Amino acid sequence: MMGFVFFTGSVSAEKNYRVQSGDSLYRIAQNYQVDVNAVIAANASITNPAYIKPGQTIKIPDQNGTSFTVTAYTAGYESTGKRPGDPGYGITASGSIVDEGDTIACPPALPFGSKIHIPKLNETYVCEDRGSAITNGHLDIYKEDLDDALQFGVQQLQVKVWTY
């Protein structure tokens, strides 16, 4: 599911918060008026949202969003292990049909239907898919063409997340 070229993108705009004793993700998100799922999804270091430890640094998205590692995938065998004609080929984890310019795979912290805006690409995607390599801090954009997905590579991009 990952491309092979590395590219660095825009400067990160999020705030960093150092966890204090007694903090919870819910309270931190509430204090910053940010959706707790967006905070979890933005932080690759959060593997169990119920457990954060004092001294841990957490990225807090602001009005400009936060930085994510963004890759691209296809419906093909190289990304999904499925071939045309296989059950589920081109079908996302949410049950919709993949659609370039619309479908994005998100970490489980983001509910299906979340809107993901990537200003550098001037695109807003819908969280419709999952993937075993898609963890917090990582997103995967659907591309129809394998060469386009490979050319996209791995990029650090500013992302705005809207959950509903």
Side-chain angles (χ1 to χ4, degrees):
M1 278 208 220
M2 294 185 65
F4 300 103
V5 180
F6 183 74
F7 172 84
T8 54
S10 62
V11 176
S12 174
E14 74 274 347
K15 298 171 188 78
N16 289 313
Y17 175 79
R18 186 167 303 275
V19 175
Q20 306 297 312
S21 181
D23 277 344
S24 70
L25 282 175
Y26 176 77
R27 179 65 51 99
I28 294 167
Q30 191 176 41
N31 287 343
Y32 283 93
Q33 299 179 339
V34 178
D35 183 276
V36 69
N37 291 324
V39 173
I40 295 166
N43 287 276
S45 66
I46 299 175
T47 56
N48 180 352
Y51 178 73
I52 55 174
K53 58 185 177 190
Q56 181 177 356
T57 300
I58 296 176
K59 294 189 297 185
I60 308 294
D62 65 10
Q63 68 275 8
N64 296 314
T66 192
S67 178
F68 274 77
T69 300
V70 182
T71 55
Y73 75 106
T74 69
Y77 187 80
E78 64 289 331
S79 294
T80 66
K82 298 174 187 166
R83 300 184 191 281
D86 287 348
Y89 178 83
I91 305 297
T92 67
S94 68
S96 62
I97 297 172
V98 290
D99 182 20
E100 185 167 344
D102 189 49
T103 301
I104 193 165
C106 303
L110 294 176
F112 290 133
S114 297
K115 303 288 186 199
I116 310 296
H117 180 68
I118 304 177
K120 183 173 181 182
L121 304 178
N122 196 29
E123 292 283 350
T124 299
Y125 301 89
V126 178
C127 181
E128 297 177 318
D129 213 354
R130 302 278 189 240
S132 60
I134 308 307
T135 56
N136 293 336
H138 186 186
L139 298 167
D140 210 14
I141 296 170
Y142 172 73
K143 298 278 188 181
E144 289 182 18
D145 183 74
L146 176 59
D147 290 335
D148 289 345
L150 293 173
Q151 184 176 4
F152 186 87
V154 179
Q155 300 185 36
Q156 284 299 123
L157 298 174
Q158 201 67 17
V159 172
K160 295 179 186 181
V161 176
W162 295 292
T163 58
Y164 300 97

